Amino acid sequence: EIVMTQSPATLSVSPGERATLSCRASQSVSSKLAWYQQKPGQAPRLLIYGASTRATGIPARFSGSGSGTEFTLTISSLQSEDFAVYYCQQYNNWPPYTFGQGTKLEIK
Amino acid sequence: EFQLVESGGGLVQPGGSLRLSCVASGFTFSSYGMNWVRQAPGKGLEWVSYVTGTSSTIYYADSVKGRFTISRDNAKNSLYLQMNSLRAEDTAVYYCARLYCSSTDCRFDFWGQGTLVTVSS
């Protein structure tokens, strides 16, 4: 089973600033990596798939990069609605699909 | 508009059973693989089970194998999760999620709002 590790667990950033979230896989997942955003009481929402492709309707301030075992989600200029928990997920080697433990992005 | 609506959650005693449902609308349900994903209170996401559009292939997480059964009825646009021998650690919000596959990639592109299962005496 591929283990996904996200860092940091909590990230405090001011609105308008850049946020950089990291995700590491225990073995290569090629580019089969997705990012999800989850707000309190809501279902996860797909942001990025294929490591760097934005899902339909996702603003351009969200970008993903990386391949193999190291991945990054960057939010270029944080808006108030971006403060949430973010999860990465690998789908290169499944079952099982595996998720990271999440990064909570909070307002500084 | 795509919609996935889960139901069937509730309070159940340890060792008991529960059947979750997920009704889909706005897309051709039979053309998509479907998943169940759960989230324990205050915790992260855990994939539970997957079924192809034709039910020809099914997978389970080790944590539920032998206790949970995924199924679907394409005529009713419905996905199910039969949960038996429930344990306290099965307490979670259960989401159904659609698997969308293009020629080069697959992803969980749409999720329902979830249904809460609480296992407690």
Side-chain angles (χ1 to χ4, degrees), chain A residues 1 31-34 36 38 41-46 49-51 87 89 91 94-101, chain B residues 35 37 39 43-47 50 59-62 95 99 102 104-114:
Chain A
E1 174 178 324
S31 294
K32 306 297 186 185
L33 190 284
Y36 299 87
Q38 188 179 34
Q42 296 186 16
R45 177 175 72 144
L46 176 66
Y49 63 91
Y87 294 94
Q89 177 210 24
Y91 50 94
W94 65 277
Y97 293 104
T98 48
F99 294 87
Q101 80 279 17
Chain B
N35 295 271
V37 178
Q39 186 171 37
K43 302 298 184 182
L45 301 168
E46 179 189 17
W47 171 79
Y50 166 77
Y59 296 118
Y60 297 98
D62 287 345
Y95 297 99
L99 182 70
S102 66
T104 58
D105 209 88
C106 293
R107 56 269 188 189
F108 291 17
D109 71 330
F110 194 71
W111 300 57
Q113 87 290 348

Side-chain angles (χ1 to χ4, degrees), chain B residues 10-22:
Chain B
L11 175 64
V12 61
Q13 292 188 338
S17 298
L18 213 53
R19 189 196 196 204
L20 306 183
S21 299
C22 168

Side-chain angles (χ1 to χ4, degrees), chain A residues 2-7 22-27 69-71 88:
Chain A
I2 296 178
V3 177
M4 307 301 292
T5 303
Q6 292 185 240
S7 61
S22 296
C23 175
R24 173 177 292 179
S26 60
Q27 64 188 77
T69 61
E70 300 284 343
F71 301 89
C88 62

Side-chain angles (χ1 to χ4, degrees), chain B residues 15-73:
Chain B
S17 298
L18 213 53
R19 189 196 196 204
L20 306 183
S21 299
C22 168
V23 178
S25 59
F27 63 97
T28 304
F29 180 68
S30 60
S31 296
Y32 294 88
M34 296 293 297
N35 295 271
W36 287 100
V37 178
R38 67 184 181 182
Q39 186 171 37
K43 302 298 184 182
L45 301 168
E46 179 189 17
W47 171 79
V48 172
S49 185
Y50 166 77
V51 60
T52 54
T54 60
S55 302
S56 59
T57 299
I58 286 174
Y59 296 118
Y60 297 98
D62 287 345
S63 58
V64 306
K65 202 172 294 183
R67 300 187 299 123
F68 289 11
T69 302
I70 192 171
S71 63
R72 62 191 297 160
D73 184 338

